[in-house]
Amino acid sequence: MEAKKISDNMLARLPVYLNYIKTLPKSTTNVSATKIANALGLGEVSVRKDLAKVSKGGRCKLGYPCEDLINDIERFLGLKSNLDTIVVGSGELIQSLLRYSGFEHFGLNVVDGFDGKCTRTYGSAGEKIYPLNKIEEFLKKNEVQMGVLMVPEAEAQAVCDQLVACGVPAIWNFTSVHLNVPEEVIVQNESMTVSVTKLRMQMKERKEAV
């Protein structure tokens, strides 16, 4: 199906639908927009419109065949091809991310990690962690599509510059630093501060409403 321009809100909802459908019992052959909306606490109209944009498999009173809808959403989101990804951070955090299998469900193949605090390569096959000073050498030999940045703030821009200079086209930024990159490089910023603030405000509003 040809990709269509979608809103940020819809983009945020599609992976939630995908997760939900994948957790349904194997005996479930079809799922409707109504069932998804009720299960996730979302508006049925929004869910129905979202699904109509990514799949033509919906049938009145029957809903969507689960397997077909999963394939349609994954295809729409570009999850059918894996992006080779590296993680730049420190110690145990990198090890945990390299061992986390959940990235595979969203088209990320985390190949290796880089640690600014280590001085030698360590780890087993498929979970290798290199010293940060080896990153340019590695990137020149391997085509990497994404870098996950989890370094101290003081190092963020310098590491970002290394990734950009070696042709990495996308950066998933978990630092609080605003990264300066060329227009052709995509940066997705993740802010724990914003997430925690939203959570606290929701808690406050709920408490005040009681």
Side-chain angles (χ1 to χ4, degrees), residues 33-51:
T34 302
K35 183 174 182 177
I36 294 174
N38 291 339
L40 300 175
L42 298 172
E44 183 178 341
V45 174
S46 294
V47 176
R48 195 175 300 280
K49 287 181 177 179
D50 291 347
L51 297 184

Side-chain angles (χ1 to χ4, degrees), residues 45-106:
V45 174
S46 294
V47 176
R48 195 175 300 280
K49 287 181 177 179
D50 291 347
L51 297 184
K53 287 184 178 180
V54 302
S55 177
K56 295 182 179 179
R59 297 291 182 270
C60 183
K61 296 184 180 181
L62 293 176
Y64 294 80
C66 291
E67 186 174 345
D68 291 348
L69 185 55
I70 288 172
N71 287 330
D72 287 340
I73 295 175
E74 288 183 339
R75 189 177 299 109
F76 188 89
L77 293 176
L79 303 182
K80 290 297 185 181
S81 59
N82 289 332
L83 300 178
D84 283 346
T85 302
I86 59 170
V87 179
V88 187
S90 60
E92 294 182 359
L93 178 59
I94 299 179
Q95 294 180 55
S96 298
L97 289 174
L98 289 179
R99 293 169 183 165
Y100 177 57
S101 60
F103 288 127
E104 298 174 3
H105 299 300
F106 293 97

Side-chain angles (χ1 to χ4, degrees), residues 85-186:
T85 302
I86 59 170
V87 179
V88 187
S90 60
E92 294 182 359
L93 178 59
I94 299 179
Q95 294 180 55
S96 298
L97 289 174
L98 289 179
R99 293 169 183 165
Y100 177 57
S101 60
F103 288 127
E104 298 174 3
H105 299 300
F106 293 97
L108 297 185
N109 177 35
V110 181
V111 290
D112 286 298
F114 293 84
D115 186 347
K117 294 182 179 180
C118 79
T119 57
R120 61 182 179 82
T121 301
Y122 64 95
S124 58
E127 295 178 3
K128 282 193 174 181
I129 299 176
Y130 299 87
L132 187 56
N133 60 15
K134 298 289 186 182
I135 193 168
E136 291 188 11
E137 178 184 346
F138 179 90
L139 291 174
K140 288 177 181 178
K141 294 179 180 179
N142 299 275
E143 186 176 350
V144 171
Q145 288 84 38
M146 184 181 296
V148 180
L149 209 57
M150 309 185 83
V151 297
E153 293 181 5
E155 302 172 15
Q157 185 63 55
V159 174
C160 172
D161 291 344
Q162 285 183 296
L163 297 178
V164 171
C166 292
V168 177
I171 298 173
W172 196 2
N173 179 30
F174 282 84
T175 78
S176 59
V177 176
H178 173 76
L179 300 173
N180 294 310
V181 299
E183 289 185 1
E184 65 270 17
V185 176
I186 301 168

